[in-house]
Each structure stands twice: as structure tokens, then as C-alpha cells.
Amino acid sequence: MTDLDSLTMDLPDSAAEPALRRLQTVARVMDEAVRVPGTDIRVGLDPVLGVLPGAGDAVAAGVSLYIVAEAANLGVPLTTIVRMLGNVAADVALGSIPVVGPLFDVVIKANAWNVAHIEEFVADATAGEEEAGSDADDEAIVIEIEEA
């Protein structure tokens, strides 16, 4: 039987940064690409795709699941992944309601919320690595010599 710890992989910080930039771009395009003139409301492709019955919501859900898959690849904890899947499920369920679904898509910005969860995880992980590195530098080296 395979040890589960051997299946996990820690990605270097250099891999997390480009992935995070990609996810931020995808979330922006899907949820907040354009500001509605005269308002502070921003919309993306998600409500536009929601106008197409069935297929549009399926494409939007696929993009949202891509963000969740990248989060799992980055090592985001399972509890956060489940929360992210809940955001996607709410977005798909409410967004697929005929006529009012696209209005829900304007309000429910599941992709932006999910990327915020990933950003929080990456920031916490980076802060933890910096603290661990600074602790190691601050410790004094003690050499004990035993007398015979």
C-alpha cells in the first residue's frame, strides 16, 4: 500500500506565484472584467455566459472548477477546498435559474471569493516560512564539552 504522505508535493514559492496570477486573471475575467457605467458594479463573463441556457452555466462551472483544482494543486487545505466547492455550487445553482440567474451571477462572485481564499492560504504559508527562517537565524549555538 502507498503511504499518503509520499503522494503530496510541496510546491516551491516560485510555482505558487505564477499560478496565483493566473487564477487572479481568470477570476477577474469571469467576475469583474467591466464596470457598469454610472455604478460601482463590476461584471464579467459569468453573467454573460449565464444567458445561454445550460451550456453557458456549464462552461462557467468548468472555469470555476479549474480554480478549485489549482487550489488543490497548491496544497490548500481540504476544509477550504470544500468551502470553495460550496461557493461554486451556489453560483451554479442560483445562476442557472431562468431569467434571474444572470442577476445572481452579478452579485455572487464565487471565483473572486475562491481566489481570495487561495491568496489567504499563500500569504499564511509564506508568512509561516519567513517566521521559521527568522527563528532559525536567531537561535544561539551552544557547544557543550564534557570533561573526562
Side-chain angles (χ1 to χ4, degrees):
M1 187 179 308
T2 306
D3 182 21
L4 290 179
D5 291 334
S6 67
L7 296 176
T8 60
M9 173 178 59
D10 290 331
L11 294 176
D13 289 336
S14 60
E17 291 176 25
L20 193 54
R21 282 196 304 272
R22 278 193 311 271
L23 296 175
Q24 290 166 338
T25 300
V26 169
R28 188 172 37 255
V29 167
M30 290 301 289
D31 290 343
E32 303 172 334
V34 178
R35 187 178 60 81
V36 176
T39 68
D40 289 333
I41 298 171
R42 299 189 69 82
V43 297
L45 283 179
D46 196 5
V48 174
L49 290 171
V51 173
L52 303 170
D57 291 319
V59 170
V63 173
S64 296
L65 290 174
Y66 161 72
I67 292 174
V68 176
E70 281 282 353
N73 191 34
L74 288 171
V76 172
L78 181 60
T79 55
T80 305
I81 296 291
V82 170
R83 186 177 313 137
M84 292 170 69
L85 288 171
N87 289 341
V88 172
D91 186 36
V92 170
L94 294 174
S96 64
I97 298 172
V99 182
V100 295
L103 296 176
F104 282 118
D105 284 333
V106 169
V107 175
I108 297 175
K109 301 192 180 299
N111 299 308
W113 294 341
N114 287 344
V115 170
H117 288 306
I118 298 168
E119 290 171 339
E120 181 180 327
F121 167 76
V122 170
D124 289 347
T126 304
E129 289 174 5
E130 289 174 4
E131 287 176 12
S134 66
D135 289 345
D137 294 339
D138 293 341
E139 292 181 15
I141 298 174
V142 177
I143 301 174
E144 293 182 22
I145 301 175
E146 291 183 25
E147 294 183 33

